Amino acid sequence: MSKGRQIRICAALCALAALLTGARAEETRQDFPENPRFTVQRFQDQEGMGAITATALGQDAQGFLWIGTQTGLYRYDGTRAKKMLEVESIIGHYVVDLLIAPDGTPWFAGTRGIAFYKDGQFQKLEIPASSMPLLNGVQIFAVDSRGIVYALTYKRGLLKLDPKNPGKTETIAQGLGNWETPEGIVRSVDDSIWFTAGRKLVHLNAGSREMEVESGIRLPNERVVALQFDGIGMLWLRTATRLARVDLRDRKLIFEEEVAGEANEEEGKPSVDAEGKLLVPSSAGLYWQQNGQWRLVNVKHGLVSNLIQCALEDREGTLWVGGSGTGLDRLTGVREWSAWTTAEGLPDNSTWTTLRDRQGRLWVSTAHGIGIWNGDTRSWENVPALRERVGRQIRQMQLARDGSIWALTITGAIVQIDPESYATTTIANFRGRNFVTIQAAPDGSIWATTRARLVRFVPRGPATMPVEVPLPAMDEAEIEYLTFSPKGVLWATGPGTLYRYDGKNWRVLKVKDGLNGQTMTSLAAPNDDEVWVAYNDVVGVTHVTLGPGGVPRFEFRDWDRTVVGRDAENRIWFNGTDGIVILWPDGHLQRLNHANGLIWDDLSPWTGTREEADGSYLIATSRGLSRYKPVGEAKKAASPNVVLTSVSLGGTERSVDQKSFVDSIDGSLMVQFSPMVLDTPEEVSCRYQLNGLEKHPTETLQREVRYGGLPPGSYEFWVQCKQADAPNYSAKTSFYFRVLPNVWQSSWIRGLAVVGLMGGIWAFVSLRTRTLNRRKSELEQAVAQRSAELLQKNKELEQISLTDPLTGTRNRRYFYETIPTDEAQTLRSHQRFGDAQKAGAAPRELIFVLVDIDRFKRVNDEMGHAAGDKLLQEVAKRIGSVMRRSDDLVRWGGEEFLLVCRTTDRENAGLLCTRVLEAVRDLPFDVGNGVQLHKTCSIGWAPYPWMPGDSQLLSIDNVIELADKALYLAKREGRNRSYGLVPAPTAKTSEKSISIENLRDCPPELVQIV
């Protein structure tokens, strides 16, 4: 097994029992930290709408999200946000009000009028000029189920308009006594129309023009913002500073004192969520009615601003929140997801593992120690003894049968923690070997591996002694990672080997039996005779089952994922760089990632996912701790509703519903389409075909198709889409058209073309012969000139042979041609050091720094080698920007660079590595095709001479090997960091000699890791 991945691989294995076992049966309660935040995505980041002020939101019957703003109307289809400029000639650019009619049609109001969108175009509502202007407010019209419009105006009060009969405009409300300007108007489910007039509440019954004043109800003497019916038919009144329920039976207003935020002067209309509960924008944030209470969502939960203008929950469960001048915030998975970061009290955003102790307290291991949420004090605590460096390096935690917490440090030591006093006991190693993995068995005992040994602890206080478990009788038996079935059968992995131990007998399975790789990184056992295994040297996972008589069956799936474990629903959890995938018993897959609410897709490689007693899941990521609590049954991926959002034939926009014709000269087609998925459109794949031109459909993730130079004929363009992992595509959405033939395509024109072609061939041959003769003379003259140029090129080629052609850095040949000179100068410097030391000088050192791009292979695999080459070039430039002119940058191999530092000593090598880390990770890389991505690197370094004062102990090749070992440690520790290997203070006095053979295992008495 490759030692370069040992600790990193061990991470996922402790997650195996996290979903199966633990202290759930012994927990006294389930308590979670306060003030969780949501996953908030800034809509303007991808749509260029960062500074807009949204005035209203709505989702129509097709699924389009309509966004009214102070500077125009936008339509979002999950792929692009299109500014609908054509509506501005009807209503103006300031969208005052927006609503979705009962039939799903979107309506819009502005300072210049009212319009609606139907059959792919905007249609104007005819309003008599004598009745204009419309009222200035955020809720100025309503539409009933028959399509009748009720609009508020300054001059005529309330207008009743029928779009189908523009001449039937009626004026209502002018006869109302003591009339005051109306404010706020809304339709009820029974088609009655409600509005306010001064301090009165008025309504019209369905189909009636007789107004009825709700006697006994006196409205507050302040501006009315809007009226809103909720899901149970309750009428709500929103004023400038307050929110009230209208009790029509008892004729009174009931004010909601919890809603204390003021409405914006220009916006602030309430809306209802998918369950019919109120969403109330205010200057203090968004008030959300949930379970009979009001939840305030504001900047503490991830919003950009507290000044909220409007809000909407779409059909996919995403909450859209519009701010004043701050664009739109997208809160995905708001009903199922929550999270905690350093802002909520975590020691660090980089979280590794969680568990519950016997008291029900939540323990979270982070990059800066362990945080413990105390539900009694409502605060975070920590373990005092682990405040130093060891506490920051803990990756695995397990709960033992006596209630103690067992933690494994990155140095391979076990720390036993008393959860009452936080006292600690450290077990440094077993028989001189560090621990690799710890795992709690169903009986509460703690099992640990040192590769060559398998150890069992039965906790009985601080004096717990280890008991070695005999390994199977075989040559070089090694065990690295462990998991237990619910009934206590042990499954374990070693190099190319899978073990099963039932407490008495061992069963061994190898590659020759059906395993697919040598390095198994994680495993999970749903039962005694079943296990899932993932690999590090092979992309894929294997499902192993033991049939009758113990006959193994192997099922391989080419998934680049790690096995996390099995939950109470008998589902298998996997993780990868794009989040989580859950395999259900019926075979379908469910994805959980940042796009639908997970705070970040980069999960902890340790015990990163754990099931809680209430059915929720705690998920540790590099940007905080997420909690996922499914609401209802998980929905299988449904076929999306594919819409052709734009069809341009011959450069002219066409109606999708009508067959179009175009001349051959204009035979070009451009189609934009959308699967109408707003939350995770990137997970939807589509296929399309142009019947009449193409014989087979084309798979695509793009949402635009173009054809040019189409020959005459009849065509059908169709497209269909499906969600990721869904078995079937949606129904076809088609556009039919015909390209008419040109005059020149007639037979007599073709005959003339043949004659002209033959004449052209004769003329071409004659001209070509004369040209060749002239060219021969010119070539003879050029030979002499080229001979001289070749001499110069040979000199240039010699220089090129020392340079990497892709990155422009030096290559290994250059390194081995020049390093002897550097070595000689360094040795002479150390020979003269005795005299120079008296003058305050220091001997010269060479620092060898190995830089490796993290997860580079995935760039090549997922984005292509062109993107990988572009990334290598950009990384080389960034490293070159922080190194000194006296240093050399060598492409050492693949994605690995060697930085040879001639003027940096070992005390300042760490600063140089920090500059390289920052240069690589701070800014995204442009890898072409408009794609940008963030990458990190890992660094290992070592000095030459390695032992100050003794330059003959290690060669330069030995020192580079030590730098490679340091790079391996950086990779093992989670990447995006640097380590150096220098002599330990006890190196000179150690009984072990200083040789490369003794240094490879980094013994602490010889090697210090910095």
Side-chain angles (χ1 to χ4, degrees):
M1 170 189 166
S2 172
K3 295 184 179 180
R5 297 182 175 91
Q6 294 171 347
I7 298 234
R8 178 174 58 82
I9 293 173
C10 136
L13 290 154
C14 292
L16 305 179
L19 297 172
L20 305 171
T21 62
R24 286 175 49 189
E26 300 176 70
E27 293 173 359
T28 58
R29 67 173 183 275
Q30 291 293 305
D31 191 35
F32 296 94
E34 295 177 339
N35 300 317
R37 64 173 48 234
F38 294 119
T39 296
V40 179
Q41 300 170 2
R42 296 293 298 135
F43 187 58
Q44 93 285 356
D45 292 342
Q46 59 186 15
E47 305 302 337
M49 299 172 65
I52 67 164
T53 294
T55 57
L57 300 168
Q59 188 174 22
D60 65 17
Q62 287 186 296
F64 288 107
L65 179 68
W66 294 89
I67 307 166
T69 77
Q70 294 180 354
T71 54
L73 176 67
Y74 294 82
R75 187 186 69 178
Y76 179 59
D77 58 20
T79 302
R80 59 186 68 85
K82 179 181 179 182
K83 190 170 186 180
M84 313 301 283
L85 298 175
E86 55 268 39
V87 76
E88 295 187 5
S89 62
I90 303 175
I91 68 171
H93 74 282
Y94 193 125
V95 181
V96 174
D97 195 5
L98 182 160
L99 61 83
I100 307 300
D103 65 354
T105 301
W107 287 75
F108 319 95
T111 56
R112 298 174 58 180
I114 297 175
F116 61 98
Y117 188 79
K118 197 167 187 177
D119 299 328
Q121 59 184 353
F122 288 96
Q123 301 181 38
K124 180 179 181 180
L125 177 67
E126 296 296 337
I127 303 175
S130 59
S131 299
M132 293 294 286
L134 297 173
L135 189 69
N136 184 23
V138 301
Q139 191 183 49
I140 61 174
F141 75 110
V143 182
D144 67 17
S145 60
R146 298 172 300 158
I148 304 300
V149 180
Y150 298 83
L152 300 179
T153 70
Y154 278 115
K155 297 180 180 179
R156 298 292 183 90
L158 180 63
L159 290 182
K160 181 179 179 182
L161 306 107
D162 185 352
K164 299 177 182 178
N165 298 289
K168 291 187 61 176
T169 301
E170 298 182 58
T171 300
I172 305 174
Q174 278 192 326
L176 186 67
N178 298 320
W179 173 256
E180 296 183 49
T181 302
E183 293 180 299
I185 183 169
V186 69
R187 167 192 169 270
S188 176
V189 292
D190 63 359
D191 257 0
S192 59
I193 304 298
W194 296 72
F195 60 95
T196 69
R199 301 184 68 182
K200 300 173 184 178
L201 179 63
V202 186
H203 77 273
L204 300 173
N205 289 323
S208 172
R209 62 187 313 276
E210 297 295 328
M211 297 177 298
E212 297 185 20
V213 178
E214 297 298 323
S215 60
I217 297 180
R218 191 73 169 166
L219 305 184
N221 189 21
E222 59 180 84
R223 177 174 61 90
V224 172
V225 176
L227 295 169
Q228 180 66 55
F229 282 97
D230 63 17
I232 61 173
M234 174 69 68
L235 179 61
W236 294 80
L237 170 70
R238 176 59 164 158
T239 68
T241 62
R242 309 181 73 180
L243 176 71
R245 284 180 289 132
V246 181
D247 188 338
L248 297 174
R249 185 184 63 180
D250 294 337
R251 305 287 179 175
K252 63 180 180 179
L253 299 179
I254 304 173
F255 289 95
E256 298 290 324
E257 300 301 334
E258 293 182 57
V259 181
E262 298 179 355
N264 187 276
E265 291 185 1
E266 299 173 338
E267 329 298 346
K269 181 173 68 174
S271 58
V272 293
D273 64 14
E275 297 179 354
K277 304 299 183 182
L278 232 59
L279 295 166
V280 183
S282 79
S283 59
L286 178 66
Y287 287 94
W288 192 357
Q289 189 183 25
Q290 292 182 336
N291 302 320
Q293 297 180 339
W294 292 98
R295 179 176 187 177
L296 179 61
V297 182
N298 54 26
V299 292
K300 294 181 179 179
H301 304 89
L303 297 184
V304 172
S305 170
N306 286 338
L307 185 56
I308 307 303
Q309 306 287 82
C310 56
L312 168 76
E313 184 180 12
D314 66 25
R315 297 187 189 115
E316 297 164 31
T318 296
L319 186 63
W320 299 77
V321 180
S324 179
T326 58
L328 285 175
D329 289 336
R330 299 172 61 178
L331 284 68
T332 56
V334 289
R335 297 185 182 276
E336 297 182 316
W337 291 93
S338 55
W340 298 270
T341 65
T342 53
E344 288 74 47
L346 278 179
D348 191 85
N349 283 338
S350 183
T351 56
W352 300 98
T353 179
T354 66
L355 62 74
R356 293 276 182 184
D357 62 17
R358 289 281 183 84
Q359 302 177 38
R361 295 177 300 183
L362 177 64
W363 292 56
V364 183
S365 174
T366 76
H368 285 81
I370 297 176
I372 305 156
W373 174 254
N374 190 324
D376 295 330
T377 62
R378 316 304 295 171
S379 62
W380 288 93
E381 300 175 351
N382 56 60
V383 180
L386 298 181
R387 291 177 181 172
E388 302 302 323
R389 188 172 184 269
V390 64
R392 298 176 183 175
Q393 299 298 319
I394 288 178
R395 298 295 185 268
Q396 305 175 39
M397 295 189 298
Q398 297 290 327
L399 180 63
R401 71 188 335 177
D402 64 349
S404 60
I405 309 298
W406 289 60
L408 181 65
T409 71
I410 198 61
T411 59
I414 294 177
V415 179
Q416 184 181 0
I417 307 170
D418 184 337
E420 301 293 337
S421 63
Y422 296 152
T424 62
T425 302
T426 301
I427 306 172
N429 55 62
F430 182 76
R431 297 189 179 179
R433 288 183 174 268
N434 295 334
F435 295 100
V436 177
T437 306
I438 61 172
Q439 186 65 58
D443 64 359
S445 59
I446 302 296
W447 294 59
T449 67
T450 65
R451 290 190 176 84
R453 309 283 181 180
L454 177 63
V455 184
R456 179 174 181 262
F457 297 87
V458 181
R460 295 186 180 90
T464 299
M465 298 300 295
V467 177
E468 184 172 357
V469 179
L471 296 180
M474 55 183 290
D475 294 337
E476 298 181 355
E478 289 188 16
I479 289 185
E480 296 167 327
Y481 312 117
L482 310 173
T483 189
F484 287 94
S485 71
K487 294 184 179 180
V489 170
L490 172 69
W491 290 83
T493 66
T497 309
L498 178 65
Y499 300 91
R500 181 182 182 274
Y501 180 59
D502 61 8
K504 297 181 180 179
N505 301 309
W506 286 93
R507 176 73 185 274
V508 179
L509 299 174
K510 290 183 170 290
V511 173
K512 64 180 181 180
D513 299 312
L515 295 175
N516 294 86
Q518 293 289 331
T519 307
M520 283 163 276
T521 60
S522 60
L523 71 169
N527 57 59
D528 293 352
D529 298 320
E530 180 184 3
V531 69
W532 288 80
V533 180
Y535 307 93
N536 199 36
D537 57 339
V538 175
V539 175
V541 298
T542 299
H543 183 204
V544 183
T545 54
L546 300 181
V551 177
R553 178 176 177 270
F554 298 86
E555 177 189 0
F556 180 76
R557 304 195 184 197
D558 57 349
W559 296 346
D560 188 10
R561 298 195 173 274
T562 301
V563 185
V564 176
R566 167 185 171 272
D567 63 17
E569 299 289 333
N570 203 31
R571 302 174 298 185
I572 307 299
W573 289 55
F574 305 87
N575 75 357
T577 57
D578 58 349
I580 298 170
V581 169
I582 305 173
L583 176 62
W584 284 66
D586 63 3
H588 86 271
L589 299 177
Q590 178 186 358
R591 298 178 183 271
L592 304 176
N593 51 38
H594 184 64
N596 51 41
L598 179 63
I599 194 170
W600 194 237
D601 289 335
D602 180 29
L603 271 64
S604 164
W606 311 87
T607 48
T609 304
R610 186 177 58 82
E611 185 176 4
E612 290 278 299
D614 64 351
S616 64
Y617 302 86
L618 291 178
I619 303 171
T621 79
S622 59
R623 290 194 179 182
L625 180 65
S626 275
R627 180 181 180 229
Y628 171 61
K629 184 172 177 57
V631 177
E633 296 184 1
K635 298 180 181 178
K636 296 183 181 180
S639 297
N641 173 35
V642 184
V643 176
L644 303 183
T645 57
S646 177
V647 176
S648 176
L649 183 62
T652 303
E653 194 74 15
R654 306 287 177 151
S655 173
V656 176
D657 300 325
Q658 297 178 357
K659 187 172 183 179
S660 300
F661 301 86
V662 67
D663 292 332
S664 181
I665 194 173
D666 295 323
S668 63
L669 175 68
M670 187 280 291
V671 180
Q672 292 180 343
F673 56 90
S674 173
M676 300 311 298
V677 175
L678 302 186
D679 58 352
T680 55
E682 67 279 359
E683 295 183 5
V684 179
S685 62
C686 301
R687 64 181 182 181
Y688 65 89
Q689 183 177 349
L690 184 59
N691 288 335
L693 179 70
E694 299 169 327
K695 294 183 178 180
H696 303 286
T698 302
E699 303 282 343
T700 183
L701 292 175
Q702 303 299 317
R703 301 296 185 256
E704 181 174 309
V705 180
R706 293 177 180 267
Y707 297 91
L710 294 174
S714 295
Y715 296 92
E716 176 200 9
F717 173 84
W718 63 261
V719 61
Q720 53 186 182
C721 302
K722 71 171 185 175
Q723 295 274 10
D725 305 313
N728 301 316
Y729 279 91
S730 64
K732 293 180 179 178
T733 301
S734 300
F735 171 67
Y736 298 88
F737 66 98
R738 183 183 177 193
V739 179
L740 301 175
N742 286 315
V743 176
W744 57 264
Q745 292 175 308
S746 60
S747 58
W748 67 273
I749 289 294
R750 292 179 180 175
L752 290 176
V754 171
V755 173
L757 177 62
M758 295 179 64
I761 292 175
W762 177 83
F764 173 77
V765 171
S766 300
L767 179 63
R768 181 63 175 166
T769 301
R770 291 194 297 270
T771 302
L772 288 175
N773 290 332
R774 184 177 66 255
R775 184 61 178 161
K776 178 182 177 182
S777 176
E778 294 173 350
L779 287 175
E780 291 173 349
Q781 297 176 4
V783 168
Q785 180 181 354
R786 293 293 295 171
S787 298
E789 293 175 352
L790 284 174
L791 293 175
Q792 178 64 27
K793 291 294 183 182
N794 287 334
K795 296 180 180 179
E796 295 175 0
L797 286 174
E798 181 180 1
Q799 182 66 19
I800 291 174
S801 68
L802 302 177
T803 304
D804 178 58
L806 176 63
T807 62
T809 61
R810 295 299 188 179
N811 57 21
R812 283 202 178 202
R813 178 181 174 185
Y814 171 85
F815 174 79
Y816 284 113
E817 287 188 4
T818 60
I819 198 63
T821 302
D822 292 325
E823 182 181 15
Q825 292 176 353
T826 302
L827 293 179
R828 285 196 299 270
S829 172
H830 278 260
Q831 291 172 358
R832 298 193 300 267
F833 178 57
D835 296 333
Q837 188 176 22
K838 298 177 182 179
R844 174 181 175 179
E845 290 185 330
L846 293 176
I847 303 298
F848 295 96
V849 181
L850 279 172
V851 182
D852 187 271
I853 305 173
D854 293 334
R855 296 187 176 93
F856 175 79
K857 181 177 181 298
R858 292 180 180 171
V859 177
N860 280 339
D861 292 346
E862 297 175 5
M863 305 179 69
H865 288 278
D869 292 347
K870 180 69 173 177
L871 178 60
L872 286 171
Q873 294 169 346
E874 293 301 318
V875 170
K877 290 179 181 179
R878 295 196 185 181
I879 297 175
S881 69
V882 299
M883 73 182 196
R884 296 179 177 176
R885 293 185 177 180
S886 60
D887 301 339
D888 278 331
L889 181 61
V890 179
R891 187 177 179 193
W892 200 241
E895 68 271 24
E896 196 172 61
F897 295 87
L898 175 64
L899 183 57
V900 182
C901 304
R902 298 183 176 87
T903 57
T904 301
D905 56 25
R906 66 188 67 200
E907 284 76 16
N908 294 308
L911 296 176
L912 173 63
C913 294
T914 299
R915 292 199 301 271
V916 174
L917 289 172
E918 292 174 347
V920 172
R921 75 182 174 219
D922 281 356
L923 295 174
F925 291 90
D926 182 1
V927 296
N929 294 325
V931 178
Q932 292 189 336
L933 72 162
H934 285 273
K935 295 300 292 181
T936 60
C937 65
S938 300
I939 298 176
W941 64 270
Y944 177 84
W946 191 73
M947 174 64 73
D950 194 343
S951 58
Q952 304 298 323
L953 287 176
L954 298 179
S955 68
I956 283 182
D957 286 336
N958 294 152
V959 172
I960 293 177
E961 183 178 349
L962 290 180
D964 190 57
K965 180 66 176 181
L967 174 62
Y968 149 72
L969 292 175
K971 289 286 188 180
R972 185 185 68 183
E973 294 306 308
R975 302 182 178 88
N976 191 25
R977 62 195 67 207
S978 67
Y979 284 121
L981 297 185
V982 299
T986 59
K988 290 186 177 180
T989 60
S990 173
E991 295 179 0
K992 290 186 178 181
S993 63
I994 299 177
S995 66
I996 189 61
E997 290 78 15
N998 289 337
L999 296 177
R1000 286 191 177 111
D1001 291 330
C1002 299
E1005 63 269 24
L1006 295 181
V1007 178
Q1008 180 179 1
I1009 303 172
V1010 297

